[in-house]
């Protein structure tokens, strides 16, 4: 957590350093103005994380009256679902430099902390003892942080009322319990995306974004391979005064950890055995946010 707050302080300091480089325009286009802000929002995040695991084993051996054969199978399901409160800090700048117009940079820190409902169910079967089943549930701690940065370039269209900004992104997510994107205590990610800002009026700007990233060392898979993270969002920015803006919106995220398979067999001097297993997991969520931003 200390690392996250250090990153937040560094981020705000960087944006403060960038601000003097932004050209002093009396009335920037609304779609440019919304990309020159530092904002604070309250958030509520709904997360649904699901994991499944199936396995089968077979063993035989012995001889004569001591010969035996045993088969087992099991199936486990885990789900964490619910809302957690939190907050989010955003800082972005759009400026001209090196003869290039509308260069874009942004930093974000968000935190969620609360409880979600945890459910688990396990079923099993053994050829020697029959079938069995048990389940558990209750509230479980769930928290996480999202630390990210974006760099891109904006392109003004439709008489400066529409701004398209492709960008590259990267960052680090942490989690406890089911966490921000599913499983594991901390993961780096990197990817790209596209932002769109459209000015309905001089005060109201509608905002949208779509992003993709690879989550490195995804944790749940046997091979720890990177897994894709998909994101999309819609929002609005309303200028109440020349500097003070009201912001609100929602962001959706989805990550699938894929289906992992493992199998094998072996034998020793008195028995042979084989096994196979599959596992899968996914996490999706919706983050709603509303707050205030200061245009610089």
């Amino acid at each position: 957590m200390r690392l996250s707050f250090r990153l937040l302080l560094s981020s705000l300091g960087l944006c403060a350093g960038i601000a003097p480089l932004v050209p002093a325009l009396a009335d920037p286009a609304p779609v440019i103005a919304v990309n020159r802000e530092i904002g604070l929002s309250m958030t509520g995040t709904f997360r649904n994380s699901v994991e499944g695991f199936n396995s089968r084993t077979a063993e035989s051996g012995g001889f004569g009256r001591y010969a035996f054969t045993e088969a087992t199978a099991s199936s486990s399901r885990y789900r964490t679902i619910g809302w957690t409160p939190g907050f989010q800090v955003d800082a972005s700048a759009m400026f001209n430099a090196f003869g290039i117009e509308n260069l874009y940079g942004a930093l974000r820190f968000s935190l969620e902390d609360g409880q979600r409902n945890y459910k688990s169910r396990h079923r099993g079967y053994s050829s020697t003892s029959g079938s069995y089943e048990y389940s558990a549930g209750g509230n479980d701690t769930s928290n996480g942080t999202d630390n990210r940065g974006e760099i891109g370039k904006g392109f003004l269209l439709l008489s400066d009322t529409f701004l398209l900004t492709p960008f590259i992104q990267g960052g680090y997510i942490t989690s406890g319990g089911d966490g921000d994107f599913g499983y594991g205590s901390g993961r780096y990610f990197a990817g790209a995306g596209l932002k769109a800002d459209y000015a309905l009026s001089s005060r109201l700007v509608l905002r949208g974004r779509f992003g993709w990233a690879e989550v490195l060392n995804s944790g749940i898979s046997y091979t720890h391979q990177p897994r894709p993270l998909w994101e999309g969002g819609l929002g609005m920015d309303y200028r109440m005064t020349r500097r003070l803006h009201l912001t609100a919106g929602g962001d959706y995220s989805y990550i699938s950890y894929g289906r992992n398979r493992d199998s094998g067999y072996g034998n020793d001097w008195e028995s042979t055995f084989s096994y196979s297993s599959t596992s899968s997991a996914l996490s999706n969520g919706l983050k709603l946010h509303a707050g205030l931003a200061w245009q610089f």
Side-chain angles (χ1 to χ4, degrees):
M1 188 64 69
R2 291 181 179 177
L3 177 61
S4 299
F5 280 104
R6 288 176 184 171
L7 179 59
L8 174 60
L9 292 175
S10 299
S11 300
L12 295 177
L14 177 60
C15 288
I18 291 176
L21 301 178
V22 181
L25 300 178
D27 292 301
V31 291
I32 297 292
V34 297
N35 287 286
R36 297 176 178 174
E37 294 179 338
I38 297 177
L40 174 64
S41 303
M42 302 305 296
T43 65
T45 304
F46 177 81
R47 187 77 55 195
N48 177 34
S49 300
V50 183
E51 178 187 356
F53 181 79
N54 299 292
S55 67
R56 293 180 178 274
T57 65
E59 184 176 6
S60 60
F63 55 89
R65 61 183 296 184
Y66 301 105
F68 70 92
T69 300
E70 182 178 7
T72 64
S74 66
S75 175
S76 301
R77 295 291 182 272
Y78 308 92
R79 165 169 282 178
T80 308
I81 188 170
W83 289 88
T84 54
F87 72 91
Q88 178 173 297
V89 179
D90 295 276
S92 62
M94 185 161 279
F95 54 95
N96 303 332
F98 313 109
I100 304 174
E101 295 185 341
N102 302 325
L103 292 175
Y104 164 76
L107 296 163
R108 174 184 294 177
F109 169 82
S110 67
L111 178 146
E112 58 177 278
D113 192 357
Q115 289 188 329
R116 292 190 173 98
N117 185 253
Y118 171 79
K119 300 178 181 179
S120 66
R121 186 175 184 179
H122 183 82
R123 294 178 176 178
Y125 166 78
S126 172
S127 60
T128 59
S129 60
S131 61
Y132 56 92
E133 179 177 336
Y134 59 88
S135 60
N139 290 331
D140 193 15
T141 299
S142 181
N143 54 70
T145 64
D146 183 348
N147 313 272
R148 67 175 62 202
E150 300 173 354
I151 300 174
K153 183 192 181 308
F155 298 88
L156 281 169
L157 304 168
L158 304 179
S159 301
D160 295 349
T161 62
F162 187 52
L163 179 71
L164 278 178
T165 308
F167 61 86
I168 58 174
Q169 63 174 332
Y172 186 73
I173 52 179
T174 66
S175 65
D178 73 302
D180 208 8
F181 296 119
Y183 307 89
S185 58
R187 298 288 179 263
Y188 289 98
F189 66 92
L194 180 68
K195 286 170 15 77
D197 299 308
Y198 179 69
L200 281 179
S201 69
S202 61
R203 290 183 176 272
L204 180 60
V205 176
L206 300 183
R207 317 197 70 184
R209 60 175 284 131
F210 173 80
W212 157 86
E214 285 288 301
V215 179
L216 308 180
N217 190 21
S218 57
I220 192 66
S221 68
Y222 295 121
T223 55
H224 295 268
Q225 293 297 312
R227 299 300 303 175
L229 166 68
W230 302 96
E231 299 174 306
L234 294 173
M236 55 80 66
D237 187 299
Y238 182 75
R239 181 169 60 87
M240 296 187 294
T241 69
R242 184 179 180 185
R243 298 296 183 186
L244 187 62
H245 293 222
L246 174 67
T247 62
D251 299 300
Y252 175 78
S253 64
Y254 172 84
I255 180 172
S256 171
Y257 293 87
R259 180 174 294 273
N260 304 285
R261 300 178 183 274
D262 190 23
S263 62
Y265 66 92
N267 59 78
D268 55 30
W269 68 275
E270 62 179 8
S271 66
T272 62
F273 65 90
S274 63
Y275 68 90
S276 64
S277 65
T278 61
S279 67
S280 61
L282 63 86
S283 180
N284 53 40
L286 175 64
K287 177 186 290 184
L288 303 179
H289 57 89
L292 297 173
W294 182 262
Q295 177 193 333
F296 53 84

